[in-house]
Amino acid sequence: MIKYARSHLEQTNLRVQIWGKAAIGLYLWQHIFGGHLEPADVIAQWREGSQNAGKTYFSFLTGPSVVPGYFSVEAEHVVLVLNGREPAKIAYATQWLHYAQTLMETRKIQHVAVVLLGNEQCNNAWIQPYLKRNGGFVNLLFVTYDYAFVNEEDIFQWPLGVATYRNFPVVEPSWSMLHDPRSYLCNFLGTVYKNSSRETLIKILKQDGLDKLCWIAAREQWQPQETNESFKNYQDALLQSDLTLCPVGINTECYRIYEACSYGSLPVIEDVMTPGDCGNSSAYHSAPLQLLKTMGAPFIFIKNWKELPAILEKEKKMSLQEKIQRRKKLLEWYRNFKAWMRQKFINILENSFLPSDKG
């Protein structure tokens, strides 16, 4: 009987290999799964890790040396992490999808899920033909931003997470992060685009002299590669501010939201839809940021930066004790959010990939 039970248990075990071919794979693995990678060196050509979760054994591969056909496929179930943000990235992602398709056709693998860094305006039409529902082979799609095709059946919203491409770390909350008074009421370090709401934000801060109470470093040009100094500055700003201002960019959702959560700095979010095709789906009706709202994110949502002076006035009157409580609540929410996303991801994979017991 024990032998039978054991073999039966082993049957339900799922082996899943995750191929991290976009930086959001690191958010999935290191931040949401709490997984480790060997070697630890972020510029290593090849990095891997593994962990058991639920009924599933996950292994994760990433790095420039992970190339189609040049590594061993050690699971029948694959999660492909891809970047679909712009045409050049899509061309690269497509090569990976074709490789996975070949493996499916030759029966080397059984199931494929995709975690996609979506286009910031939700122009993801290129991936649709690959989905099983449209005659393709991809069973499940997890996609960033408020994609209108999210249905909670085979297409799910996925969080953008922190900027792992700039090596934003997994931050362990410390006693001082929770309890120390912070020097600034708020921060905004970032690019100020011409004629954007960010210009309005800076104007409002300067008008009321509020920029003296906040850490504001505005630049005109976006820089993909931070210098070590500017990145250190940015992390200090998050750690030293009670609030982090999150104006919209091309999309409402930005890395800054999750990075602020990592340091217990409360995001103040400009809750407006940006131009493009993102919006409500059949599953959610609270765009933008439906996933975060559905998960009860304890942020401050505003429609206009004119609301900011009143918010900062209120901040000035808050006691340290109240701020500590708020930080605790934020850090705990963020920890639970990641744990919930992990559990949801595992459940969806197991429900889709494991043969259902018809016993």
Side-chain angles (χ1 to χ4, degrees):
M1 241 172 97
I2 288 170
K3 223 177 199 163
Y4 170 75
R6 210 170 259 164
S7 70
H8 189 68
L9 269 176
E10 278 158 12
Q11 282 165 8
T12 58
N13 272 4
L14 197 59
R15 290 181 76 84
V16 173
Q17 204 172 32
I18 305 173
W19 304 344
K21 295 312 299 176
I24 53 163
L26 295 173
Y27 186 69
L28 165 73
W29 187 250
Q30 295 180 301
H31 294 251
I32 289 182
F33 268 71
H36 296 288
L37 287 174
E38 292 292 326
D41 181 5
V42 293
I43 55 170
Q45 292 292 299
W46 175 282
R47 304 172 76 199
E48 58 188 302
S50 62
Q51 68 166 264
N52 281 310
K55 299 172 186 159
T56 308
Y57 171 78
F58 285 96
S59 57
F60 182 89
L61 303 177
T62 194
S65 291
V66 181
V67 178
Y70 288 87
F71 63 94
S72 62
V73 179
E74 288 172 6
E76 294 188 323
H77 314 280
V78 168
V79 176
L80 248 178
V81 187
L82 300 172
N83 182 338
R85 187 165 270 198
E86 61 200 22
K89 303 288 189 192
I90 291 169
Y92 180 69
T94 306
Q95 292 173 2
W96 276 96
L97 285 164
H98 290 166
Y99 175 57
Q101 189 167 13
T102 307
L103 293 176
M104 287 283 280
E105 286 162 359
T106 53
R107 304 263 187 279
K108 300 270 195 313
I109 60 176
Q110 286 181 22
H111 296 104
V112 176
V114 170
V115 176
L116 182 67
L117 175 65
N119 171 277
E120 287 174 283
Q121 288 162 329
C122 295
N123 307 329
N124 303 313
W126 68 275
I127 193 121
Q128 286 287 348
Y130 294 98
L131 303 185
K132 204 158 193 174
R133 61 161 54 233
N134 301 326
F137 63 94
V138 173
N139 297 76
L140 303 165
L141 174 65
F142 299 85
V143 60
T144 59
Y145 307 120
D146 298 289
Y147 190 39
F149 286 89
V150 165
N151 55 18
E152 289 291 317
E153 288 161 30
D154 60 340
I155 306 177
F156 304 87
Q157 190 169 350
W158 192 251
L160 180 62
V162 302
T164 49
Y165 71 94
R166 291 202 287 227
N167 302 321
F168 191 92
V170 174
V171 181
E172 292 301 335
S174 62
W175 194 89
S176 66
M177 190 191 293
L178 271 172
H179 295 87
D180 287 357
R182 299 190 170 193
S183 321
Y184 301 93
L185 287 188
C186 73
N187 77 76
F188 174 69
L189 280 67
T191 317
V192 177
Y193 305 103
K194 283 265 167 281
N195 305 322
S196 68
S197 68
R198 299 181 177 200
E199 280 194 331
T200 318
L201 165 60
I202 300 295
K203 209 185 280 167
I204 286 168
L205 283 167
K206 286 194 167 141
Q207 221 166 324
D208 297 10
L210 296 167
D211 54 338
K212 310 270 186 300
L213 305 171
C214 294
W215 183 333
I216 306 297
R219 55 172 183 230
E220 311 241 314
Q221 221 62 63
W222 182 74
Q223 294 159 329
Q225 287 311 324
E226 293 285 335
T227 60
N228 273 344
E229 204 216 346
S230 69
F231 190 56
K232 174 90 179 70
N233 254 347
Y234 173 61
Q235 288 175 287
D236 279 347
L238 297 176
L239 189 55
Q240 287 301 327
S241 319
D242 289 310
L243 306 175
T244 291
L245 309 180
C246 302
V248 300
I250 300 171
N251 195 286
T252 314
E253 189 174 2
C254 58
Y255 298 116
R256 188 179 275 114
I257 297 170
Y258 299 89
E259 292 166 346
C261 289
S262 302
Y263 280 106
S265 180
L266 191 75
V268 179
I269 293 183
E270 184 181 2
D271 184 15
V272 297
M273 282 305 303
T274 46
D277 298 327
C278 302
N280 289 328
S281 63
S282 60
Y284 295 113
H285 311 287
S286 55
L289 307 175
Q290 321 194 82
L291 182 62
L292 293 169
K293 288 174 183 168
T294 306
M295 291 296 299
F299 306 159
I300 296 173
F301 292 96
I302 65 172
K303 290 293 180 198
N304 193 307
W305 288 112
K306 290 180 184 141
E307 299 170 45
L308 186 60
I311 289 166
L312 293 180
E313 277 309 311
K314 207 169 143 192
E315 284 300 301
K316 288 183 200 168
K317 299 188 180 87
M318 262 180 109
S319 69
L320 178 60
Q321 212 40 53
E322 289 173 299
K323 287 178 178 175
I324 290 170
Q325 282 316 111
R326 184 174 67 185
R327 277 179 223 161
K328 278 186 177 159
K329 189 174 145 192
L330 176 64
L331 287 164
E332 187 170 344
W333 173 83
Y334 185 50
R335 197 188 65 221
N336 289 338
F337 171 75
K338 290 184 290 185
W340 188 81
M341 288 312 301
R342 176 177 182 266
Q343 200 47 55
K344 182 176 176 173
F345 185 73
I346 294 165
N347 291 351
I348 291 165
L349 257 51
E350 288 181 352
N351 289 338
S352 176
F353 294 177
L354 278 175
S356 51
D357 288 327
K358 301 280 190 283

Short mmCIF file of all heavy atoms in Angstrom, two decimals, residues 5 68 75 163 216 236 246 285:
data_model
loop_
_atom_site.label_atom_id
_atom_site.label_comp_id
_atom_site.label_asym_id
_atom_site.label_seq_id
_atom_site.Cartn_x
_atom_site.Cartn_y
_atom_site.Cartn_z
N ALA A 5 0.95 4.13 -2.68
CA ALA A 5 0.71 5.52 -2.31
C ALA A 5 1.87 6.39 -2.79
O ALA A 5 1.68 7.48 -3.32
CB ALA A 5 0.55 5.65 -0.80
N PRO A 68 18.25 28.60 -27.62
CA PRO A 68 17.49 27.45 -28.12
C PRO A 68 18.41 26.35 -28.67
O PRO A 68 19.31 26.62 -29.46
CB PRO A 68 16.64 28.05 -29.26
CG PRO A 68 16.48 29.47 -28.89
CD PRO A 68 17.75 29.87 -28.18
N ALA A 75 12.33 18.97 -18.45
CA ALA A 75 10.96 18.86 -17.94
C ALA A 75 10.01 18.81 -19.12
O ALA A 75 10.33 19.29 -20.21
CB ALA A 75 10.65 20.07 -17.06
N ALA A 163 12.61 46.83 -11.09
CA ALA A 163 13.49 46.86 -12.27
C ALA A 163 14.69 45.93 -12.07
O ALA A 163 15.78 46.37 -11.73
CB ALA A 163 13.95 48.28 -12.56
N ILE A 216 13.59 65.56 -4.47
CA ILE A 216 13.18 65.63 -5.88
C ILE A 216 14.42 65.74 -6.76
O ILE A 216 15.25 66.63 -6.55
CB ILE A 216 12.28 66.87 -6.13
CG1 ILE A 216 11.09 66.88 -5.16
CG2 ILE A 216 11.81 66.93 -7.58
CD1 ILE A 216 10.13 65.72 -5.29
N ASP A 236 18.35 55.16 -1.58
CA ASP A 236 18.34 55.98 -0.36
C ASP A 236 17.09 56.83 -0.29
O ASP A 236 16.50 56.99 0.78
CB ASP A 236 19.57 56.91 -0.34
CG ASP A 236 20.81 56.18 0.14
OD1 ASP A 236 20.66 55.07 0.68
OD2 ASP A 236 21.93 56.71 -0.04
N CYS A 246 4.34 58.49 -7.67
CA CYS A 246 4.36 57.62 -8.86
C CYS A 246 3.50 58.21 -9.97
O CYS A 246 2.36 57.78 -10.19
CB CYS A 246 3.86 56.22 -8.51
SG CYS A 246 4.80 55.43 -7.20
N HIS A 285 -12.77 45.31 -13.71
CA HIS A 285 -13.40 46.54 -14.19
C HIS A 285 -12.87 47.78 -13.48
O HIS A 285 -13.55 48.77 -13.39
CB HIS A 285 -14.92 46.44 -14.00
CG HIS A 285 -15.47 45.16 -14.52
ND1 HIS A 285 -15.59 44.90 -15.87
CD2 HIS A 285 -15.87 44.03 -13.88
CE1 HIS A 285 -16.06 43.67 -16.04
NE2 HIS A 285 -16.24 43.12 -14.85
#
